Amino acid sequence: MGRRTDLSSLLSSGAPATATATATETAGEGTQPAVRDTTHPVTVALADLAENPDNPRHELRDLDGLTETVRERGVLQALGVVPRAVFLAAHPHHEEAVGRAPYIVLHGHRRLAAARMAGLDEVPVLVREDASRIDEDALVENVQRDDLTELEQAQAIQGLIKSYGYSQRQVAARIGKTQGFVSQRLSLMKLREDLQEALADGRVSVEDARRIARLPQEEQALPGDTGTPPPTVPKARRDYGVIKIDSRGTPEEVVESLRRHLAPAALDRILELLAR
């Protein structure tokens, strides 16, 4: 009998919990961290952690369920952090944004937010000593776990191209995706800023956003704002309200179909229904 897969767990952006915490010394605010190159989790006070300003995830989704788990069982998977001095050596322009916290969180922003909401005082962390390519590392991790929306992926990919001079082919190789995947995401960056915001908050679906992005920016508009789209823009026939899913497909293929047709707000509603 095949392995059963929980569709809601694939749709949600949570990460599997695998590590446990052990207590150790923590550093005070603004001082050099006492923990160095740890290979096992150590505990650090929440007050000693600052979020990475370059985190590609702009929205922390589905925190209520994670917060309840953290409240009952604690943070089971250690956060990835880097000492403040190491982070600022690679990213000096972020000094004001990170404040005086001894550690900067590289991975685990949802777990950090849930720990704060659950009222915890400390969390387990793994400390690393390299912050030179944390934006690339964060993108790879989040893309591989499907933690980012398509727009967040597009913005992060564009950031890598600008920061490191990568070609689309090189970015695809770095994140383990096809060049078509990268090109498709980058097409969303052709949208006007207000339309990118509409995509981010669920007022327009990814499918419509891609169609709109083919137009010059002066002709771009939300569906319904200007009537029927210009005939020069190819538009596939759609059956609104119906999503065709192959009953023989894998759970991952079902999830990909839902993400392709639904806006983030609609996906959040599906998660709520599946959790009942």
Side-chain angles (χ1 to χ4, degrees), residues 25-31 33 43-51 81-84 98 100-105 112 116 121 125:
E25 178 184 10
T26 59
E29 179 176 305
T31 63
T43 55
V44 170
L46 288 181
D48 288 342
L49 298 172
E51 297 185 27
V81 305
V82 66
R84 179 178 184 273
V98 301
R100 303 300 301 171
Y103 299 100
I104 314 302
V105 175
L112 175 61
R116 287 171 173 163
D121 295 323
V125 304

Side-chain angles (χ1 to χ4, degrees), residues 236-264:
R237 183 177 178 180
R238 293 184 60 186
D239 189 0
Y240 287 90
V242 176
I243 299 176
K244 295 182 179 179
I245 296 176
D246 186 351
S247 60
R248 297 169 296 179
T250 65
E252 289 79 8
E253 290 171 340
V254 172
V255 168
E256 179 59 28
S257 180
L258 291 174
R259 283 187 171 144
R260 189 166 56 250
H261 290 83
L262 297 178

Side-chain angles (χ1 to χ4, degrees), residues 17-231:
T18 57
T20 57
T22 58
T24 191
E25 178 184 10
T26 59
E29 179 176 305
T31 63
Q32 185 68 19
V35 181
R36 292 284 178 174
D37 267 336
T38 59
T39 56
H40 300 286
V42 296
T43 55
V44 170
L46 288 181
D48 288 342
L49 298 172
E51 297 185 27
N52 173 18
D54 289 330
N55 177 29
R57 296 182 59 171
H58 300 159
E59 180 184 355
L60 300 176
R61 295 172 286 277
D62 191 31
L63 282 177
D64 291 342
L66 180 59
T67 299
E68 188 61 31
T69 299
V70 167
R71 186 177 290 115
E72 293 179 358
R73 305 180 60 191
V75 176
L76 301 180
Q77 183 177 5
L79 284 64
V81 305
V82 66
R84 179 178 184 273
V86 174
F87 179 84
L88 291 180
H91 308 275
H93 56 291
H94 283 323
E95 182 173 7
E96 182 177 354
V98 301
R100 303 300 301 171
Y103 299 100
I104 314 302
V105 175
L106 305 182
H107 312 296
H109 290 81
R110 285 184 71 251
R111 279 164 276 158
L112 175 61
R116 287 171 173 163
M117 292 172 63
L120 300 189
D121 295 323
E122 57 186 19
V123 292
V125 304
L126 289 170
V127 183
R128 58 181 280 185
E129 289 292 336
D130 179 16
S132 59
R133 290 183 177 269
I134 58 175
D135 48 354
E136 183 176 352
D137 293 345
L139 174 60
V140 171
E141 179 188 42
N142 283 286
V143 167
Q144 289 178 343
R145 290 196 337 230
D146 279 337
D147 270 4
L148 304 180
T149 65
E150 293 200 14
L151 180 60
E152 288 171 338
Q153 291 172 353
Q155 292 167 335
I157 288 170
Q158 186 179 63
L160 290 181
I161 291 174
K162 288 184 176 180
S163 297
Y164 302 115
Y166 288 152
S167 66
Q168 289 189 23
R169 184 183 300 276
Q170 289 172 321
V171 171
R174 296 295 294 175
I175 65 177
K177 298 291 184 178
T178 65
Q179 187 172 351
F181 174 96
V182 171
S183 177
Q184 189 179 66
R185 267 54 178 180
L186 287 177
S187 69
L188 297 176
M189 301 309 299
K190 298 177 182 178
L191 290 169
R192 292 200 320 260
E193 185 175 345
D194 59 317
L195 294 177
Q196 291 184 28
E197 293 175 357
L199 174 59
D201 62 25
R203 286 180 288 131
V204 62
S205 70
V206 172
E207 187 178 36
D208 280 333
R210 289 175 182 158
R211 175 179 57 78
I212 296 169
R214 300 177 195 145
L215 292 166
Q217 287 197 347
E218 60 271 15
E219 297 180 23
Q220 294 178 5
L222 287 172
D225 283 357
T226 57
T228 304

